[in-house]
Amino acid sequence: MTTDAAAAFAAAFGDTPDGVWAAPGRINLIGEHTDYNEGYVLPAALPHATRVAARRRPDGVVRLYSAQGDGQVTSVVLDGRAPGSVPGWAAYPAGVFWALAEAGHAVGGADLAFSSDVPTGAGLSSSAALECATAIALDELYGLGLDAPGRALIAQRAENAFVGVPCGALDQMASSCCVEGHAFFLDTRTLIGRQVPLDLPAVGLTLLVVDTRVKHDLGDGAYAGLRAGCERAAELLGVPALRDVAAEELAAAEEKLPADLRPLLRHVVTEDQRVLDTVAALDAGDPRALGPILTAGHASLRDDYRISCPETDLAVATANAAGALGARMMGGGFGGSVLALVDSDRLEAVESAVHAAFAEAGYGAPHTFTATPAQGAHRVG
Ligand code: GLA
């Protein structure tokens, strides 16, 4: 893939790049829709990544090319470009240039060629990988001196204000800050995190990802609507964010909310607790305890947050029936991927049960693979 990005660069720009950088997609063990409620998350980086081969340009021009795109080079003159002015995938890297300039960084033009094997629209943060690869390439090409969380916040700003998706910090913080062999326990209010060792194969366990290949679109308004509902609930409760409602206060807090906002509060408060319980189980050397927590997380997303769909529900139910310790949908919702915790010797049985169930239901074949925690954004060439 390093060579893919360099080869894409040569094909698009007829030259060699100054360097090649990579930023990964992510799984999220637990902590879904907690980030914009200033709560906890526990992602890990995937081996799947977006590579970018990049070279500085002396003028203010940005040229963008993707090996997975339509073969065209997108040229953007950034001066005066307003958010929303760059269509398609190129808006993500263009947004990073914009966000860096807006934050006062002296960043000039560049040629960038991307090559990615992060599945898109699968709840595995392909957008964040694209943004964070751009951010680290520009940071190092222009000597900006940012750190990993700083690059993540620039990437999030690009997505929020330039692309127009009101996401939280989970995906970009994961893609920038994760460390190989670890899950990243992050408090999204303080942005203070801790790397939690995660070597499941050593204890006979495997994380199975089922990409249902049902595409969601975070820009379609549902995500923004949920976020707005949470913010309204916090306002009615008189707290800065739903993170501030303690588990013991949940029942009393629900009483103060209209019926439509209660399930949102319930999900966020119980999900934050599930993150804390998961970290405690990992710290205590009891990773099998994660199984029921994952399944409870799925029920909460399905019944309270209501962002599951028949395909993710089927993947979770089938994996569990075939012997998984637990499973849940990940990401924004309305499709995407399911994460299952499986005894390694049950892996094949669980995988084939899911494939069979999808075939029987008449769904398209899912894409299944195992996940071992990989390294966050870094230079590769
Ligand atoms: C998407 C968003 C994240 C987060 C998750 C849900 O991936 O980009 O910020 O809100 O959904 O946990």
PDB file of all heavy atoms in Angstrom, residues 267-299:
ATOM      1  N   HIS A 267     -29.533   5.725  26.756  1.00  0.00           N
ATOM      2  CA  HIS A 267     -28.412   5.124  26.029  1.00  0.00           C
ATOM      3  C   HIS A 267     -27.092   5.760  26.449  1.00  0.00           C
ATOM      4  O   HIS A 267     -26.123   5.055  26.750  1.00  0.00           O
ATOM      5  CB  HIS A 267     -28.564   5.251  24.504  1.00  0.00           C
ATOM      6  CG  HIS A 267     -27.289   4.877  23.816  1.00  0.00           C
ATOM      7  ND1 HIS A 267     -26.846   3.570  23.740  1.00  0.00           N
ATOM      8  CD2 HIS A 267     -26.294   5.622  23.273  1.00  0.00           C
ATOM      9  CE1 HIS A 267     -25.669   3.535  23.150  1.00  0.00           C
ATOM     10  NE2 HIS A 267     -25.303   4.766  22.858  1.00  0.00           N
ATOM     11  N   VAL A 268     -27.045   7.081  26.463  1.00  0.00           N
ATOM     12  CA  VAL A 268     -25.761   7.751  26.707  1.00  0.00           C
ATOM     13  C   VAL A 268     -25.237   7.430  28.108  1.00  0.00           C
ATOM     14  O   VAL A 268     -24.058   7.105  28.289  1.00  0.00           O
ATOM     15  CB  VAL A 268     -25.908   9.280  26.505  1.00  0.00           C
ATOM     16  CG1 VAL A 268     -24.634  10.013  26.928  1.00  0.00           C
ATOM     17  CG2 VAL A 268     -26.229   9.580  25.042  1.00  0.00           C
ATOM     18  N   VAL A 269     -26.117   7.478  29.103  1.00  0.00           N
ATOM     19  CA  VAL A 269     -25.665   7.244  30.484  1.00  0.00           C
ATOM     20  C   VAL A 269     -25.224   5.782  30.668  1.00  0.00           C
ATOM     21  O   VAL A 269     -24.165   5.507  31.248  1.00  0.00           O
ATOM     22  CB  VAL A 269     -26.785   7.630  31.488  1.00  0.00           C
ATOM     23  CG1 VAL A 269     -26.415   7.198  32.900  1.00  0.00           C
ATOM     24  CG2 VAL A 269     -27.029   9.133  31.436  1.00  0.00           C
ATOM     25  N   THR A 270     -26.006   4.853  30.122  1.00  0.00           N
ATOM     26  CA  THR A 270     -25.623   3.434  30.303  1.00  0.00           C
ATOM     27  C   THR A 270     -24.394   3.103  29.452  1.00  0.00           C
ATOM     28  O   THR A 270     -23.562   2.294  29.848  1.00  0.00           O
ATOM     29  CB  THR A 270     -26.783   2.474  29.965  1.00  0.00           C
ATOM     30  OG1 THR A 270     -27.211   2.695  28.612  1.00  0.00           O
ATOM     31  CG2 THR A 270     -27.965   2.676  30.901  1.00  0.00           C
ATOM     32  N   GLU A 271     -24.257   3.742  28.305  1.00  0.00           N
ATOM     33  CA  GLU A 271     -23.106   3.458  27.426  1.00  0.00           C
ATOM     34  C   GLU A 271     -21.804   3.962  28.073  1.00  0.00           C
ATOM     35  O   GLU A 271     -20.782   3.288  28.022  1.00  0.00           O
ATOM     36  CB  GLU A 271     -23.326   4.106  26.058  1.00  0.00           C
ATOM     37  CG  GLU A 271     -22.264   3.784  25.017  1.00  0.00           C
ATOM     38  CD  GLU A 271     -22.403   2.400  24.364  1.00  0.00           C
ATOM     39  OE1 GLU A 271     -23.222   1.584  24.837  1.00  0.00           O
ATOM     40  OE2 GLU A 271     -21.682   2.143  23.388  1.00  0.00           O
ATOM     41  N   ASP A 272     -21.852   5.141  28.674  1.00  0.00           N
ATOM     42  CA  ASP A 272     -20.662   5.632  29.385  1.00  0.00           C
ATOM     43  C   ASP A 272     -20.253   4.627  30.466  1.00  0.00           C
ATOM     44  O   ASP A 272     -19.068   4.331  30.648  1.00  0.00           O
ATOM     45  CB  ASP A 272     -20.934   7.006  30.018  1.00  0.00           C
ATOM     46  CG  ASP A 272     -20.512   8.158  29.112  1.00  0.00           C
ATOM     47  OD1 ASP A 272     -19.659   7.947  28.221  1.00  0.00           O
ATOM     48  OD2 ASP A 272     -21.051   9.272  29.290  1.00  0.00           O
ATOM     49  N   GLN A 273     -21.245   4.106  31.179  1.00  0.00           N
ATOM     50  CA  GLN A 273     -20.959   3.118  32.229  1.00  0.00           C
ATOM     51  C   GLN A 273     -20.367   1.846  31.606  1.00  0.00           C
ATOM     52  O   GLN A 273     -19.452   1.236  32.174  1.00  0.00           O
ATOM     53  CB  GLN A 273     -22.234   2.799  33.007  1.00  0.00           C
ATOM     54  CG  GLN A 273     -22.002   1.947  34.253  1.00  0.00           C
ATOM     55  CD  GLN A 273     -21.026   2.600  35.240  1.00  0.00           C
ATOM     56  OE1 GLN A 273     -21.153   3.785  35.546  1.00  0.00           O
ATOM     57  NE2 GLN A 273     -20.038   1.840  35.712  1.00  0.00           N
ATOM     58  N   ARG A 274     -20.859   1.457  30.430  1.00  0.00           N
ATOM     59  CA  ARG A 274     -20.304   0.258  29.771  1.00  0.00           C
ATOM     60  C   ARG A 274     -18.839   0.464  29.386  1.00  0.00           C
ATOM     61  O   ARG A 274     -18.049  -0.483  29.439  1.00  0.00           O
ATOM     62  CB  ARG A 274     -21.148  -0.112  28.542  1.00  0.00           C
ATOM     63  CG  ARG A 274     -22.424  -0.858  28.890  1.00  0.00           C
ATOM     64  CD  ARG A 274     -23.172  -1.336  27.649  1.00  0.00           C
ATOM     65  NE  ARG A 274     -23.848  -0.255  26.941  1.00  0.00           N
ATOM     66  CZ  ARG A 274     -25.085   0.162  27.234  1.00  0.00           C
ATOM     67  NH1 ARG A 274     -25.782  -0.408  28.189  1.00  0.00           N
ATOM     68  NH2 ARG A 274     -25.629   1.157  26.546  1.00  0.00           N
ATOM     69  N   VAL A 275     -18.473   1.683  29.005  1.00  0.00           N
ATOM     70  CA  VAL A 275     -17.059   1.929  28.695  1.00  0.00           C
ATOM     71  C   VAL A 275     -16.232   1.745  29.972  1.00  0.00           C
ATOM     72  O   VAL A 275     -15.195   1.060  29.963  1.00  0.00           O
ATOM     73  CB  VAL A 275     -16.836   3.344  28.116  1.00  0.00           C
ATOM     74  CG1 VAL A 275     -15.349   3.559  27.834  1.00  0.00           C
ATOM     75  CG2 VAL A 275     -17.647   3.549  26.841  1.00  0.00           C
ATOM     76  N   LEU A 276     -16.698   2.327  31.058  1.00  0.00           N
ATOM     77  CA  LEU A 276     -15.951   2.212  32.321  1.00  0.00           C
ATOM     78  C   LEU A 276     -15.864   0.747  32.752  1.00  0.00           C
ATOM     79  O   LEU A 276     -14.805   0.277  33.203  1.00  0.00           O
ATOM     80  CB  LEU A 276     -16.619   3.053  33.413  1.00  0.00           C
ATOM     81  CG  LEU A 276     -16.658   4.571  33.124  1.00  0.00           C
ATOM     82  CD1 LEU A 276     -17.438   5.307  34.215  1.00  0.00           C
ATOM     83  CD2 LEU A 276     -15.246   5.141  33.011  1.00  0.00           C
ATOM     84  N   ASP A 277     -16.955   0.005  32.598  1.00  0.00           N
ATOM     85  CA  ASP A 277     -16.952  -1.418  32.978  1.00  0.00           C
ATOM     86  C   ASP A 277     -15.986  -2.212  32.093  1.00  0.00           C
ATOM     87  O   ASP A 277     -15.315  -3.142  32.562  1.00  0.00           O
ATOM     88  CB  ASP A 277     -18.364  -2.008  32.844  1.00  0.00           C
ATOM     89  CG  ASP A 277     -19.332  -1.425  33.871  1.00  0.00           C
ATOM     90  OD1 ASP A 277     -18.864  -0.767  34.826  1.00  0.00           O
ATOM     91  OD2 ASP A 277     -20.561  -1.616  33.698  1.00  0.00           O
ATOM     92  N   THR A 278     -15.937  -1.874  30.816  1.00  0.00           N
ATOM     93  CA  THR A 278     -15.045  -2.580  29.887  1.00  0.00           C
ATOM     94  C   THR A 278     -13.588  -2.342  30.253  1.00  0.00           C
ATOM     95  O   THR A 278     -12.772  -3.280  30.305  1.00  0.00           O
ATOM     96  CB  THR A 278     -15.314  -2.109  28.439  1.00  0.00           C
ATOM     97  OG1 THR A 278     -16.672  -2.396  28.120  1.00  0.00           O
ATOM     98  CG2 THR A 278     -14.398  -2.809  27.454  1.00  0.00           C
ATOM     99  N   VAL A 279     -13.251  -1.083  30.520  1.00  0.00           N
ATOM    100  CA  VAL A 279     -11.865  -0.770  30.891  1.00  0.00           C
ATOM    101  C   VAL A 279     -11.502  -1.469  32.202  1.00  0.00           C
ATOM    102  O   VAL A 279     -10.404  -2.031  32.338  1.00  0.00           O
ATOM    103  CB  VAL A 279     -11.666   0.762  30.989  1.00  0.00           C
ATOM    104  CG1 VAL A 279     -10.291   1.100  31.547  1.00  0.00           C
ATOM    105  CG2 VAL A 279     -11.861   1.405  29.621  1.00  0.00           C
ATOM    106  N   ALA A 280     -12.440  -1.482  33.135  1.00  0.00           N
ATOM    107  CA  ALA A 280     -12.177  -2.163  34.414  1.00  0.00           C
ATOM    108  C   ALA A 280     -11.935  -3.654  34.182  1.00  0.00           C
ATOM    109  O   ALA A 280     -11.026  -4.251  34.780  1.00  0.00           O
ATOM    110  CB  ALA A 280     -13.356  -1.954  35.373  1.00  0.00           C
ATOM    111  N   ALA A 281     -12.710  -4.271  33.305  1.00  0.00           N
ATOM    112  CA  ALA A 281     -12.532  -5.704  33.021  1.00  0.00           C
ATOM    113  C   ALA A 281     -11.183  -5.958  32.361  1.00  0.00           C
ATOM    114  O   ALA A 281     -10.480  -6.929  32.699  1.00  0.00           O
ATOM    115  CB  ALA A 281     -13.661  -6.204  32.126  1.00  0.00           C
ATOM    116  N   LEU A 282     -10.794  -5.089  31.435  1.00  0.00           N
ATOM    117  CA  LEU A 282      -9.481  -5.269  30.780  1.00  0.00           C
ATOM    118  C   LEU A 282      -8.355  -5.063  31.786  1.00  0.00           C
ATOM    119  O   LEU A 282      -7.377  -5.820  31.808  1.00  0.00           O
ATOM    120  CB  LEU A 282      -9.341  -4.302  29.601  1.00  0.00           C
ATOM    121  CG  LEU A 282     -10.232  -4.599  28.396  1.00  0.00           C
ATOM    122  CD1 LEU A 282     -10.114  -3.500  27.345  1.00  0.00           C
ATOM    123  CD2 LEU A 282      -9.881  -5.960  27.778  1.00  0.00           C
ATOM    124  N   ASP A 283      -8.483  -4.036  32.623  1.00  0.00           N
ATOM    125  CA  ASP A 283      -7.461  -3.786  33.651  1.00  0.00           C
ATOM    126  C   ASP A 283      -7.348  -4.974  34.603  1.00  0.00           C
ATOM    127  O   ASP A 283      -6.270  -5.290  35.103  1.00  0.00           O
ATOM    128  CB  ASP A 283      -7.793  -2.518  34.453  1.00  0.00           C
ATOM    129  CG  ASP A 283      -7.487  -1.242  33.674  1.00  0.00           C
ATOM    130  OD1 ASP A 283      -6.775  -1.316  32.658  1.00  0.00           O
ATOM    131  OD2 ASP A 283      -7.992  -0.173  34.084  1.00  0.00           O
ATOM    132  N   ALA A 284      -8.486  -5.630  34.863  1.00  0.00           N
ATOM    133  CA  ALA A 284      -8.496  -6.764  35.800  1.00  0.00           C
ATOM    134  C   ALA A 284      -8.089  -8.071  35.118  1.00  0.00           C
ATOM    135  O   ALA A 284      -8.114  -9.134  35.744  1.00  0.00           O
ATOM    136  CB  ALA A 284      -9.885  -6.903  36.425  1.00  0.00           C
ATOM    137  N   GLY A 285      -7.738  -8.018  33.831  1.00  0.00           N
ATOM    138  CA  GLY A 285      -7.337  -9.224  33.123  1.00  0.00           C
ATOM    139  C   GLY A 285      -8.494 -10.168  32.862  1.00  0.00           C
ATOM    140  O   GLY A 285      -8.318 -11.389  32.833  1.00  0.00           O
ATOM    141  N   ASP A 286      -9.707  -9.609  32.655  1.00  0.00           N
ATOM    142  CA  ASP A 286     -10.887 -10.435  32.439  1.00  0.00           C
ATOM    143  C   ASP A 286     -11.589 -10.057  31.127  1.00  0.00           C
ATOM    144  O   ASP A 286     -12.745  -9.612  31.132  1.00  0.00           O
ATOM    145  CB  ASP A 286     -11.848 -10.258  33.624  1.00  0.00           C
ATOM    146  CG  ASP A 286     -13.060 -11.166  33.519  1.00  0.00           C
ATOM    147  OD1 ASP A 286     -13.035 -12.135  32.728  1.00  0.00           O
ATOM    148  OD2 ASP A 286     -14.061 -10.889  34.226  1.00  0.00           O
ATOM    149  N   PRO A 287     -10.907 -10.261  29.978  1.00  0.00           N
ATOM    150  CA  PRO A 287     -11.499  -9.797  28.708  1.00  0.00           C
ATOM    151  C   PRO A 287     -12.774 -10.536  28.325  1.00  0.00           C
ATOM    152  O   PRO A 287     -13.582  -9.997  27.560  1.00  0.00           O
ATOM    153  CB  PRO A 287     -10.392 -10.051  27.678  1.00  0.00           C
ATOM    154  CG  PRO A 287      -9.512 -11.066  28.292  1.00  0.00           C
ATOM    155  CD  PRO A 287      -9.579 -10.845  29.772  1.00  0.00           C
ATOM    156  N   ARG A 288     -13.009 -11.740  28.866  1.00  0.00           N
ATOM    157  CA  ARG A 288     -14.243 -12.455  28.521  1.00  0.00           C
ATOM    158  C   ARG A 288     -15.474 -11.689  29.009  1.00  0.00           C
ATOM    159  O   ARG A 288     -16.556 -11.838  28.453  1.00  0.00           O
ATOM    160  CB  ARG A 288     -14.240 -13.873  29.103  1.00  0.00           C
ATOM    161  CG  ARG A 288     -13.102 -14.737  28.584  1.00  0.00           C
ATOM    162  CD  ARG A 288     -13.192 -16.148  29.130  1.00  0.00           C
ATOM    163  NE  ARG A 288     -14.247 -16.909  28.478  1.00  0.00           N
ATOM    164  CZ  ARG A 288     -14.102 -17.536  27.320  1.00  0.00           C
ATOM    165  NH1 ARG A 288     -12.944 -17.499  26.688  1.00  0.00           N
ATOM    166  NH2 ARG A 288     -15.102 -18.202  26.800  1.00  0.00           N
ATOM    167  N   ALA A 289     -15.272 -10.876  30.038  1.00  0.00           N
ATOM    168  CA  ALA A 289     -16.392 -10.082  30.571  1.00  0.00           C
ATOM    169  C   ALA A 289     -16.909  -9.076  29.541  1.00  0.00           C
ATOM    170  O   ALA A 289     -18.013  -8.534  29.695  1.00  0.00           O
ATOM    171  CB  ALA A 289     -15.953  -9.353  31.839  1.00  0.00           C
ATOM    172  N   LEU A 290     -16.127  -8.820  28.491  1.00  0.00           N
ATOM    173  CA  LEU A 290     -16.570  -7.841  27.492  1.00  0.00           C
ATOM    174  C   LEU A 290     -17.784  -8.328  26.706  1.00  0.00           C
ATOM    175  O   LEU A 290     -18.575  -7.520  26.210  1.00  0.00           O
ATOM    176  CB  LEU A 290     -15.438  -7.544  26.487  1.00  0.00           C
ATOM    177  CG  LEU A 290     -14.474  -6.411  26.820  1.00  0.00           C
ATOM    178  CD1 LEU A 290     -13.834  -6.573  28.183  1.00  0.00           C
ATOM    179  CD2 LEU A 290     -13.425  -6.253  25.739  1.00  0.00           C
ATOM    180  N   GLY A 291     -17.909  -9.655  26.579  1.00  0.00           N
ATOM    181  CA  GLY A 291     -18.978 -10.204  25.732  1.00  0.00           C
ATOM    182  C   GLY A 291     -20.353  -9.653  26.066  1.00  0.00           C
ATOM    183  O   GLY A 291     -20.999  -9.000  25.223  1.00  0.00           O
ATOM    184  N   PRO A 292     -20.838  -9.874  27.304  1.00  0.00           N
ATOM    185  CA  PRO A 292     -22.180  -9.369  27.657  1.00  0.00           C
ATOM    186  C   PRO A 292     -22.278  -7.845  27.571  1.00  0.00           C
ATOM    187  O   PRO A 292     -23.359  -7.313  27.278  1.00  0.00           O
ATOM    188  CB  PRO A 292     -22.366  -9.831  29.108  1.00  0.00           C
ATOM    189  CG  PRO A 292     -21.360 -10.905  29.332  1.00  0.00           C
ATOM    190  CD  PRO A 292     -20.244 -10.696  28.355  1.00  0.00           C
ATOM    191  N   ILE A 293     -21.169  -7.157  27.799  1.00  0.00           N
ATOM    192  CA  ILE A 293     -21.215  -5.683  27.716  1.00  0.00           C
ATOM    193  C   ILE A 293     -21.480  -5.261  26.263  1.00  0.00           C
ATOM    194  O   ILE A 293     -22.279  -4.357  26.002  1.00  0.00           O
ATOM    195  CB  ILE A 293     -19.901  -5.050  28.238  1.00  0.00           C
ATOM    196  CG1 ILE A 293     -19.639  -5.463  29.690  1.00  0.00           C
ATOM    197  CG2 ILE A 293     -19.953  -3.545  28.097  1.00  0.00           C
ATOM    198  CD1 ILE A 293     -18.311  -4.958  30.262  1.00  0.00           C
ATOM    199  N   LEU A 294     -20.805  -5.940  25.322  1.00  0.00           N
ATOM    200  CA  LEU A 294     -21.032  -5.609  23.907  1.00  0.00           C
ATOM    201  C   LEU A 294     -22.499  -5.830  23.536  1.00  0.00           C
ATOM    202  O   LEU A 294     -23.132  -4.983  22.893  1.00  0.00           O
ATOM    203  CB  LEU A 294     -20.156  -6.479  22.994  1.00  0.00           C
ATOM    204  CG  LEU A 294     -18.643  -6.319  23.093  1.00  0.00           C
ATOM    205  CD1 LEU A 294     -17.949  -7.185  22.034  1.00  0.00           C
ATOM    206  CD2 LEU A 294     -18.237  -4.873  22.917  1.00  0.00           C
ATOM    207  N   THR A 295     -23.037  -6.963  23.943  1.00  0.00           N
ATOM    208  CA  THR A 295     -24.416  -7.286  23.565  1.00  0.00           C
ATOM    209  C   THR A 295     -25.409  -6.320  24.214  1.00  0.00           C
ATOM    210  O   THR A 295     -26.393  -5.906  23.583  1.00  0.00           O
ATOM    211  CB  THR A 295     -24.738  -8.748  23.917  1.00  0.00           C
ATOM    212  OG1 THR A 295     -23.777  -9.577  23.236  1.00  0.00           O
ATOM    213  CG2 THR A 295     -26.122  -9.149  23.457  1.00  0.00           C
ATOM    214  N   ALA A 296     -25.133  -5.927  25.449  1.00  0.00           N
ATOM    215  CA  ALA A 296     -25.993  -4.921  26.099  1.00  0.00           C
ATOM    216  C   ALA A 296     -25.893  -3.591  25.352  1.00  0.00           C
ATOM    217  O   ALA A 296     -26.899  -2.878  25.195  1.00  0.00           O
ATOM    218  CB  ALA A 296     -25.581  -4.749  27.561  1.00  0.00           C
ATOM    219  N   GLY A 297     -24.690  -3.255  24.880  1.00  0.00           N
ATOM    220  CA  GLY A 297     -24.513  -2.025  24.096  1.00  0.00           C
ATOM    221  C   GLY A 297     -25.343  -2.072  22.819  1.00  0.00           C
ATOM    222  O   GLY A 297     -25.950  -1.075  22.417  1.00  0.00           O
ATOM    223  N   HIS A 298     -25.380  -3.245  22.200  1.00  0.00           N
ATOM    224  CA  HIS A 298     -26.178  -3.356  20.969  1.00  0.00           C
ATOM    225  C   HIS A 298     -27.669  -3.154  21.268  1.00  0.00           C
ATOM    226  O   HIS A 298     -28.364  -2.429  20.537  1.00  0.00           O
ATOM    227  CB  HIS A 298     -25.965  -4.708  20.280  1.00  0.00           C
ATOM    228  CG  HIS A 298     -26.702  -4.773  18.973  1.00  0.00           C
ATOM    229  ND1 HIS A 298     -26.266  -4.092  17.861  1.00  0.00           N
ATOM    230  CD2 HIS A 298     -27.885  -5.350  18.622  1.00  0.00           C
ATOM    231  CE1 HIS A 298     -27.135  -4.270  16.873  1.00  0.00           C
ATOM    232  NE2 HIS A 298     -28.122  -5.021  17.314  1.00  0.00           N
ATOM    233  N   ALA A 299     -28.138  -3.792  22.330  1.00  0.00           N
ATOM    234  CA  ALA A 299     -29.560  -3.658  22.676  1.00  0.00           C
ATOM    235  C   ALA A 299     -29.906  -2.188  22.906  1.00  0.00           C
ATOM    236  O   ALA A 299     -30.982  -1.712  22.506  1.00  0.00           O
ATOM    237  CB  ALA A 299     -29.870  -4.495  23.917  1.00  0.00           C
TER     238      ALA A 299
END
